[in-house]
Amino acid sequence: MWGEPAPAGATGVVHVDLSAIVANWRLLCARHPGGPVAGVLKADGYGLGAGPIARALHDAGCRHFFVALLREALAIRSVVPGAMLAVLNGLVPGSEADYVAHDITPVLGSLAEIDAWAPTGRPAILHIDTGMSRLGLDAGELAVLQQDHARLAGMGPRYVMTHLVSSEVTHDPLNTHQRQRFEAACALLPPAPRSFANSSGIFLGRAFGSDLARPGAALFGINPTPGLPNPMRQVVRLMGRVLAVRAIPAGAGVGYNATWTAMRPSRIATVGIGYADGWQRRLSGRAFAYFDGVPVPLVGRVSMDLTTFDVTDLPGIEPGAWLEFLGPHQTQDDVAAHAGTNGYEILTSLALRLPRVYEAA
Ligand SMILES: *Cc1c(COP(=O)(O)O)cnc(C)c1O
Protein backbone atom coordinates (compact mmCIF):
# COMPACT_ATOMS: atom_id res chain seq x y z
CA MET A 1 0.00 0.00 0.00
CA TRP A 2 2.32 2.72 1.20
CA GLY A 3 5.48 0.94 0.08
CA GLU A 4 6.92 3.27 -2.58
CA PRO A 5 10.12 5.07 -1.60
CA ALA A 6 10.57 8.83 -1.95
CA PRO A 7 12.21 10.15 -5.12
CA ALA A 8 15.91 10.84 -4.53
CA GLY A 9 16.52 14.09 -2.70
CA ALA A 10 12.88 14.74 -1.86
CA THR A 11 12.13 16.21 1.56
CA GLY A 12 8.36 15.96 1.21
CA VAL A 13 6.25 13.44 -0.71
CA VAL A 14 2.54 12.99 -1.39
CA HIS A 15 1.63 9.31 -1.56
CA VAL A 16 -1.63 8.65 -3.40
CA ASP A 17 -3.23 5.23 -2.96
CA LEU A 18 -5.05 4.56 -6.24
CA SER A 19 -6.51 1.30 -4.91
CA ALA A 20 -8.16 3.27 -2.09
CA ILE A 21 -9.66 5.69 -4.65
CA VAL A 22 -11.06 2.77 -6.65
CA ALA A 23 -12.41 1.16 -3.46
CA ASN A 24 -14.05 4.47 -2.53
CA TRP A 25 -15.62 4.74 -5.99
CA ARG A 26 -17.00 1.20 -5.66
CA LEU A 27 -18.46 2.00 -2.25
CA LEU A 28 -20.16 5.08 -3.70
CA CYS A 29 -21.52 2.96 -6.57
CA ALA A 30 -23.02 0.57 -4.01
CA ARG A 31 -24.61 3.53 -2.20
CA HIS A 32 -26.08 4.88 -5.46
CA PRO A 33 -27.91 1.92 -7.03
CA GLY A 34 -30.19 3.96 -9.30
CA GLY A 35 -27.52 5.13 -11.74
CA PRO A 36 -23.80 5.31 -12.43
CA VAL A 37 -21.29 7.29 -10.39
CA ALA A 38 -19.01 9.78 -12.13
CA GLY A 39 -15.57 10.90 -10.98
CA VAL A 40 -15.21 14.64 -10.34
CA LEU A 41 -11.54 15.41 -11.00
CA LYS A 42 -11.43 19.22 -11.00
CA ALA A 43 -8.36 21.05 -9.67
CA ASP A 44 -6.10 18.26 -10.93
CA GLY A 45 -8.05 15.58 -9.10
CA TYR A 46 -8.39 17.58 -5.86
CA GLY A 47 -4.66 18.21 -5.95
CA LEU A 48 -3.65 14.56 -6.24
CA GLY A 49 -3.03 14.26 -9.99
CA ALA A 50 -5.97 13.89 -12.38
CA GLY A 51 -4.17 11.74 -14.98
CA PRO A 52 -3.30 8.66 -12.89
CA ILE A 53 -6.61 8.89 -11.02
CA ALA A 54 -8.64 9.11 -14.24
CA ARG A 55 -6.80 6.08 -15.62
CA ALA A 56 -7.40 4.02 -12.46
CA LEU A 57 -11.10 4.91 -12.36
CA HIS A 58 -11.51 4.26 -16.08
CA ASP A 59 -9.84 0.85 -15.69
CA ALA A 60 -12.30 0.13 -12.86
CA GLY A 61 -15.24 0.90 -15.16
CA CYS A 62 -15.99 4.57 -14.51
CA ARG A 63 -17.37 6.13 -17.71
CA HIS A 64 -18.32 9.69 -16.65
CA PHE A 65 -15.89 12.41 -15.59
CA PHE A 66 -16.28 16.05 -14.60
CA VAL A 67 -13.64 18.77 -14.35
CA ALA A 68 -14.02 22.52 -13.84
CA LEU A 69 -12.09 23.88 -16.82
CA LEU A 70 -11.65 23.09 -20.50
CA ARG A 71 -7.90 22.82 -20.04
CA GLU A 72 -8.41 20.28 -17.26
CA ALA A 73 -10.55 18.25 -19.67
CA LEU A 74 -7.97 18.45 -22.45
CA ALA A 75 -5.30 17.19 -20.04
CA ILE A 76 -7.13 13.89 -19.42
CA ARG A 77 -9.12 13.42 -22.65
CA SER A 78 -6.79 10.74 -24.03
CA VAL A 79 -6.68 8.91 -20.67
CA VAL A 80 -10.43 8.18 -20.67
CA PRO A 81 -11.22 7.27 -24.29
CA GLY A 82 -14.93 7.01 -25.03
CA ALA A 83 -15.99 8.25 -21.60
CA MET A 84 -18.17 11.32 -21.08
CA LEU A 85 -15.90 14.18 -20.01
CA ALA A 86 -17.76 17.33 -18.95
CA VAL A 87 -16.68 20.84 -17.94
CA LEU A 88 -18.60 22.26 -14.98
CA ASN A 89 -17.67 25.93 -15.26
CA GLY A 90 -19.68 26.50 -18.42
CA LEU A 91 -18.87 27.53 -21.94
CA VAL A 92 -16.45 30.40 -22.40
CA PRO A 93 -17.41 32.18 -25.67
CA GLY A 94 -15.17 31.16 -28.55
CA SER A 95 -14.20 27.77 -27.12
CA GLU A 96 -16.98 25.76 -28.83
CA ALA A 97 -14.66 24.33 -31.49
CA ASP A 98 -12.30 22.90 -28.87
CA TYR A 99 -15.18 21.12 -27.17
CA VAL A 100 -16.31 19.63 -30.47
CA ALA A 101 -12.83 18.66 -31.66
CA HIS A 102 -12.05 16.77 -28.44
CA ASP A 103 -15.51 15.35 -27.70
CA ILE A 104 -15.85 17.31 -24.47
CA THR A 105 -19.30 18.05 -23.05
CA PRO A 106 -20.02 21.55 -21.80
CA VAL A 107 -22.27 22.16 -18.78
CA LEU A 108 -24.50 25.02 -19.98
CA GLY A 109 -25.80 27.42 -17.37
CA SER A 110 -27.42 30.31 -19.24
CA LEU A 111 -29.53 30.97 -22.35
CA ALA A 112 -26.51 32.68 -23.91
CA GLU A 113 -24.47 29.51 -23.48
CA ILE A 114 -27.31 27.36 -24.82
CA ASP A 115 -27.66 29.57 -27.90
CA ALA A 116 -23.91 29.55 -28.48
CA TRP A 117 -23.78 25.75 -28.28
CA ALA A 118 -26.94 24.94 -30.28
CA PRO A 119 -25.34 25.33 -33.76
CA THR A 120 -22.92 22.49 -32.97
CA GLY A 121 -25.88 20.09 -32.82
CA ARG A 122 -24.09 18.10 -30.12
CA PRO A 123 -25.17 16.94 -26.67
CA ALA A 124 -24.59 19.12 -23.62
CA ILE A 125 -25.50 19.09 -19.94
CA LEU A 126 -28.00 21.66 -18.67
CA HIS A 127 -27.31 23.19 -15.27
CA ILE A 128 -30.26 24.47 -13.21
CA ASP A 129 -29.69 26.79 -10.24
CA THR A 130 -31.84 25.49 -7.38
CA GLY A 131 -30.29 27.54 -4.60
CA MET A 132 -26.55 28.04 -5.02
CA SER A 133 -26.97 31.38 -6.85
CA ARG A 134 -23.70 30.77 -8.59
CA LEU A 135 -23.92 29.06 -11.99
CA GLY A 136 -26.88 27.45 -13.73
CA LEU A 137 -30.11 28.74 -15.26
CA ASP A 138 -31.91 31.07 -12.86
CA ALA A 139 -35.69 31.08 -12.44
CA GLY A 140 -36.30 33.65 -15.20
CA GLU A 141 -34.13 31.91 -17.80
CA LEU A 142 -35.56 28.54 -16.84
CA ALA A 143 -39.10 29.83 -17.42
CA VAL A 144 -38.10 31.05 -20.90
CA LEU A 145 -36.57 27.69 -21.76
CA GLN A 146 -39.59 25.77 -20.46
CA GLN A 147 -41.74 27.72 -22.97
CA ASP A 148 -39.25 27.29 -25.79
CA HIS A 149 -37.95 23.71 -26.01
CA ALA A 150 -36.84 24.37 -29.59
CA ARG A 151 -33.80 26.16 -28.19
CA LEU A 152 -32.53 22.74 -27.09
CA ALA A 153 -33.09 21.14 -30.50
CA GLY A 154 -30.24 18.84 -31.45
CA MET A 155 -28.34 19.04 -28.18
CA GLY A 156 -29.78 16.21 -26.18
CA PRO A 157 -29.63 17.23 -23.37
CA ARG A 158 -27.34 14.52 -22.13
CA TYR A 159 -28.22 15.29 -18.50
CA VAL A 160 -29.99 17.99 -16.54
CA MET A 161 -28.10 18.70 -13.32
CA THR A 162 -28.13 20.82 -10.21
CA HIS A 163 -25.78 21.11 -7.22
CA LEU A 164 -26.55 20.85 -3.51
CA VAL A 165 -25.77 23.76 -1.21
CA SER A 166 -25.62 21.99 2.19
CA SER A 167 -25.46 18.29 1.49
CA GLU A 168 -23.04 17.60 4.36
CA VAL A 169 -25.62 19.01 6.82
CA THR A 170 -28.01 16.06 6.89
CA HIS A 171 -31.02 17.86 8.37
CA ASP A 172 -30.73 21.14 6.52
CA PRO A 173 -34.17 21.77 4.94
CA LEU A 174 -32.38 23.25 1.92
CA ASN A 175 -31.60 19.70 0.77
CA THR A 176 -35.27 18.81 0.35
CA HIS A 177 -36.13 22.24 -1.04
CA GLN A 178 -33.52 21.83 -3.73
CA ARG A 179 -34.72 18.34 -4.57
CA GLN A 180 -38.27 19.63 -5.02
CA ARG A 181 -37.15 22.62 -7.09
CA PHE A 182 -35.07 20.34 -9.29
CA GLU A 183 -37.98 17.95 -9.85
CA ALA A 184 -40.31 20.83 -10.68
CA ALA A 185 -37.76 22.32 -13.11
CA CYS A 186 -37.15 19.01 -14.90
CA ALA A 187 -40.87 18.29 -15.23
CA LEU A 188 -41.27 21.26 -17.61
CA LEU A 189 -38.17 20.53 -19.70
CA PRO A 190 -37.82 17.88 -22.42
CA PRO A 191 -37.32 14.47 -20.77
CA ALA A 192 -33.64 13.85 -19.99
CA PRO A 193 -31.57 11.86 -17.50
CA ARG A 194 -30.78 13.76 -14.30
CA SER A 195 -27.61 14.27 -12.29
CA PHE A 196 -27.93 15.40 -8.69
CA ALA A 197 -25.86 14.21 -5.71
CA ASN A 198 -22.27 15.14 -4.92
CA SER A 199 -20.35 13.06 -2.32
CA SER A 200 -22.41 13.99 0.72
CA GLY A 201 -25.63 13.97 -1.31
CA ILE A 202 -25.15 10.24 -1.96
CA PHE A 203 -25.40 9.73 1.81
CA LEU A 204 -28.66 11.72 2.13
CA GLY A 205 -30.66 8.66 1.12
CA ARG A 206 -32.42 7.12 -1.85
CA ALA A 207 -34.51 10.22 -2.58
CA PHE A 208 -31.29 11.99 -3.54
CA GLY A 209 -30.35 9.33 -6.07
CA SER A 210 -30.44 10.20 -9.78
CA ASP A 211 -29.27 8.91 -13.14
CA LEU A 212 -25.70 10.08 -12.43
CA ALA A 213 -24.02 10.99 -9.13
CA ARG A 214 -21.08 13.42 -9.15
CA PRO A 215 -18.79 12.80 -6.15
CA GLY A 216 -15.32 14.25 -5.83
CA ALA A 217 -14.30 14.65 -2.18
CA ALA A 218 -15.33 11.19 -0.97
CA LEU A 219 -13.27 9.51 -3.69
CA PHE A 220 -10.22 11.12 -2.10
CA GLY A 221 -11.06 10.11 1.47
CA ILE A 222 -12.70 13.32 2.69
CA ASN A 223 -15.49 12.37 5.09
CA PRO A 224 -18.85 12.90 3.31
CA THR A 225 -20.68 12.47 6.64
CA PRO A 226 -19.05 14.96 9.04
CA GLY A 227 -19.75 14.10 12.67
CA LEU A 228 -20.17 10.41 11.81
CA PRO A 229 -17.43 7.82 11.26
CA ASN A 230 -15.79 8.24 7.86
CA PRO A 231 -17.00 5.47 5.53
CA MET A 232 -14.24 6.23 3.02
CA ARG A 233 -10.68 4.90 2.91
CA GLN A 234 -7.79 7.31 3.48
CA VAL A 235 -6.11 8.00 0.13
CA VAL A 236 -3.36 10.51 0.88
CA ARG A 237 -0.23 10.33 2.94
CA LEU A 238 1.93 13.46 3.11
CA MET A 239 5.36 12.56 4.46
CA GLY A 240 8.10 14.99 5.48
CA ARG A 241 11.75 14.17 5.99
CA VAL A 242 13.62 15.24 9.12
CA LEU A 243 16.53 17.40 7.92
CA ALA A 244 18.10 18.20 11.28
CA VAL A 245 17.67 17.47 14.99
CA ARG A 246 19.23 19.78 17.56
CA ALA A 247 19.40 20.00 21.32
CA ILE A 248 18.44 23.39 22.76
CA PRO A 249 18.60 24.59 26.37
CA ALA A 250 15.64 25.70 28.44
CA GLY A 251 14.75 29.26 27.45
CA ALA A 252 15.79 28.99 23.79
CA GLY A 253 13.24 30.16 21.20
CA VAL A 254 12.23 28.23 18.07
CA GLY A 255 11.41 29.74 14.67
CA TYR A 256 10.38 33.22 13.49
CA ASN A 257 9.46 35.59 16.30
CA ALA A 258 10.32 32.88 18.83
CA THR A 259 6.64 32.11 19.34
CA TRP A 260 7.65 28.91 21.22
CA THR A 261 10.24 28.77 23.95
CA ALA A 262 11.65 25.59 25.44
CA MET A 263 10.57 25.08 29.07
CA ARG A 264 13.18 22.33 29.52
CA PRO A 265 16.25 21.15 27.63
CA SER A 266 14.63 20.01 24.37
CA ARG A 267 15.27 18.28 21.04
CA ILE A 268 13.86 20.04 17.99
CA ALA A 269 13.39 18.24 14.66
CA THR A 270 13.23 20.39 11.52
CA VAL A 271 11.27 18.89 8.59
CA GLY A 272 11.44 19.97 4.93
CA ILE A 273 7.78 20.90 4.45
CA GLY A 274 6.43 24.44 4.90
CA TYR A 275 3.60 26.71 3.93
CA ALA A 276 4.84 26.86 0.33
CA ASP A 277 3.99 23.16 0.22
CA GLY A 278 0.43 23.84 1.34
CA TRP A 279 1.12 23.16 5.01
CA GLN A 280 -0.54 26.36 6.14
CA ARG A 281 1.19 28.95 8.33
CA ARG A 282 -1.90 29.09 10.47
CA LEU A 283 -1.11 25.56 11.64
CA SER A 284 1.72 27.15 13.68
CA GLY A 285 1.61 25.74 17.20
CA ARG A 286 -1.50 23.64 16.40
CA ALA A 287 -1.28 20.44 14.37
CA PHE A 288 0.94 17.39 14.87
CA ALA A 289 2.96 15.06 12.77
CA TYR A 290 3.00 11.34 13.50
CA PHE A 291 5.97 9.03 13.92
CA ASP A 292 5.10 5.33 14.00
CA GLY A 293 1.59 6.34 15.04
CA VAL A 294 2.79 8.58 17.90
CA PRO A 295 1.79 12.29 17.78
CA VAL A 296 4.70 14.74 17.66
CA PRO A 297 3.78 18.33 18.59
CA LEU A 298 4.42 21.09 16.05
CA VAL A 299 6.15 24.00 17.79
CA GLY A 300 6.86 27.55 16.64
CA ARG A 301 5.93 29.19 13.34
CA VAL A 302 5.51 27.16 10.19
CA SER A 303 7.93 28.76 7.74
CA MET A 304 7.99 28.67 3.94
CA ASP A 305 9.99 25.48 3.53
CA LEU A 306 10.36 24.14 7.07
CA THR A 307 8.34 23.08 10.09
CA THR A 308 9.71 22.37 13.59
CA PHE A 309 8.64 19.70 16.08
CA ASP A 310 9.39 19.00 19.74
CA VAL A 311 10.83 15.46 19.73
CA THR A 312 12.29 15.57 23.24
CA ASP A 313 10.24 12.53 24.23
CA LEU A 314 10.92 10.62 20.99
CA PRO A 315 14.63 9.73 20.99
CA GLY A 316 14.13 7.50 17.90
CA ILE A 317 13.69 10.53 15.62
CA GLU A 318 16.97 11.30 13.86
CA PRO A 319 17.81 13.11 10.62
CA GLY A 320 16.47 11.02 7.73
CA ALA A 321 13.37 9.90 9.63
CA TRP A 322 10.02 10.53 7.94
CA LEU A 323 7.07 12.09 9.76
CA GLU A 324 3.46 11.71 8.62
CA PHE A 325 1.76 15.09 8.13
CA LEU A 326 -1.38 13.68 6.52
CA GLY A 327 -2.47 10.07 6.61
CA PRO A 328 -4.43 7.56 8.62
CA HIS A 329 -3.43 9.16 11.95
CA GLN A 330 -4.13 12.74 10.96
CA THR A 331 -6.48 13.07 8.00
CA GLN A 332 -7.11 16.10 5.78
CA ASP A 333 -10.29 16.64 7.83
CA ASP A 334 -8.28 16.70 11.11
CA VAL A 335 -5.80 19.22 9.71
CA ALA A 336 -8.66 21.28 8.30
CA ALA A 337 -10.18 21.50 11.78
CA HIS A 338 -6.84 22.87 13.09
CA ALA A 339 -6.65 25.36 10.22
CA GLY A 340 -10.27 26.50 10.23
CA THR A 341 -11.04 25.22 6.74
CA ASN A 342 -12.23 22.02 5.04
CA GLY A 343 -10.43 18.95 3.76
CA TYR A 344 -11.01 20.11 0.18
CA GLU A 345 -8.80 23.15 0.71
CA ILE A 346 -6.11 21.11 2.47
CA LEU A 347 -5.82 18.68 -0.47
CA THR A 348 -6.07 21.24 -3.28
CA SER A 349 -3.37 23.35 -1.57
CA LEU A 350 -0.71 20.63 -1.76
CA ALA A 351 2.00 22.31 -3.83
CA LEU A 352 3.18 21.04 -7.18
CA ARG A 353 6.76 20.99 -5.89
CA LEU A 354 5.82 17.97 -3.74
CA PRO A 355 6.34 14.84 -5.83
CA ARG A 356 3.29 12.59 -6.12
CA VAL A 357 4.01 8.88 -5.73
CA TYR A 358 1.20 6.52 -6.77
CA GLU A 359 0.45 3.19 -5.16
CA ALA A 360 -1.00 1.12 -8.00
CA ALA A 361 -4.70 0.27 -8.08
C1 LIG B 1 -17.19 20.05 -6.96
C2 LIG B 1 -18.52 19.67 -7.49
C3 LIG B 1 -19.00 18.38 -7.30
C4 LIG B 1 -18.31 17.38 -6.39
O1 LIG B 1 -18.55 17.76 -5.05
P1 LIG B 1 -17.95 16.95 -3.82
O2 LIG B 1 -18.52 17.62 -2.63
O3 LIG B 1 -16.47 17.10 -3.89
O4 LIG B 1 -18.38 15.54 -3.98
C5 LIG B 1 -20.20 18.04 -7.92
N1 LIG B 1 -20.88 18.93 -8.67
C6 LIG B 1 -20.45 20.19 -8.87
C7 LIG B 1 -21.25 21.13 -9.69
C8 LIG B 1 -19.26 20.60 -8.28
O5 LIG B 1 -18.83 21.86 -8.46
Side-chain angles (χ1 to χ4, degrees):
M1 233 193 36
W2 304 115
E4 286 296 310
T11 65
V13 181
V14 179
H15 293 264
V16 179
D17 184 351
L18 295 173
S19 66
I21 295 176
V22 168
N24 287 339
W25 179 71
R26 294 204 170 110
L27 176 76
L28 295 169
C29 291
R31 298 294 306 242
H32 193 264
V37 173
V40 178
L41 303 185
K42 57 198 186 186
D44 198 22
Y46 288 50
L48 305 181
I53 294 168
R55 180 170 287 114
L57 286 174
H58 191 259
D59 286 350
C62 182
R63 289 294 176 269
H64 303 83
F65 295 88
F66 288 87
V67 291
L69 311 177
L70 176 61
R71 65 192 305 254
E72 293 177 336
L74 293 172
I76 59 168
R77 178 67 281 185
S78 66
V79 178
V80 292
M84 185 191 91
L85 177 54
V87 171
L88 290 166
N89 273 11
L91 189 65
V92 175
S95 61
E96 295 83 359
D98 289 311
Y99 282 84
V100 172
H102 299 280
D103 188 24
I104 295 165
T105 304
V107 175
L108 306 176
S110 70
L111 292 176
E113 290 182 6
I114 290 169
D115 293 344
W117 184 252
T120 70
R122 297 175 62 100
I125 295 174
L126 271 192
H127 187 181
I128 313 286
D129 181 5
T130 57
M132 189 72 91
S133 305
R134 209 172 58 167
L135 295 177
L137 292 159
D138 65 19
E141 291 201 311
L142 180 63
V144 171
L145 192 61
Q146 286 168 333
Q147 299 299 318
D148 186 8
H149 290 185
R151 270 175 127 127
L152 296 172
M155 73 168 68
R158 206 159 178 166
Y159 289 94
V160 181
M161 63 162 262
T162 195
H163 190 38
L164 286 158
V165 172
S166 285
S167 54
E168 79 286 7
V169 185
T170 316
H171 297 295
D172 194 320
L174 273 174
N175 294 324
T176 301
H177 289 165
Q178 284 190 273
R179 185 161 57 74
Q180 291 164 346
R181 275 185 217 135
F182 187 42
E183 277 166 18
C186 291
L188 297 179
L189 288 171
R194 299 176 191 180
S195 174
F196 191 21
N198 66 333
S199 298
S200 295
I202 292 172
F203 291 84
L204 288 174
R206 289 288 171 90
F208 290 80
S210 66
D211 300 303
L212 181 67
R214 301 186 314 274
L219 292 173
F220 308 114
I222 293 171
N223 188 357
T225 58
L228 295 174
N230 190 350
M232 314 315 298
R233 267 174 60 181
Q234 180 65 17
V235 166
V236 178
R237 229 173 39 144
L238 171 61
M239 300 296 289
R241 183 182 167 95
V242 175
L243 305 180
V245 177
R246 71 194 49 223
I248 60 171
V254 172
Y256 286 114
N257 309 113
T259 58
W260 189 85
T261 303
M263 304 293 286
R264 56 175 175 164
S266 300
R267 289 173 73 246
I268 299 298
T270 302
V271 177
I273 285 183
Y275 60 73
D277 298 292
W279 185 252
Q280 299 184 19
R281 188 168 178 273
R282 52 179 313 181
L283 293 168
S284 299
R286 296 187 188 198
F288 297 86
Y290 280 78
F291 182 69
D292 273 348
V294 178
V296 187
L298 191 167
V299 295
R301 284 262 155 83
V302 174
S303 44
M304 187 184 293
D305 316 298
L306 301 168
T307 301
T308 40
F309 296 88
D310 178 4
V311 297
T312 312
D313 298 324
L314 289 146
I317 298 182
E318 299 288 349
W322 288 85
L323 301 188
E324 180 190 304
F325 282 57
L326 289 173
H329 300 98
Q330 176 170 259
T331 68
Q332 50 283 336
D333 299 312
D334 298 329
V335 171
H338 287 300
T341 181
N342 60 14
Y344 299 64
E345 193 181 15
I346 298 298
L347 293 188
T348 57
S349 299
L350 293 172
L352 283 174
R353 77 178 186 179
L354 291 166
R356 270 65 170 167
V357 173
Y358 296 94
E359 329 282 338

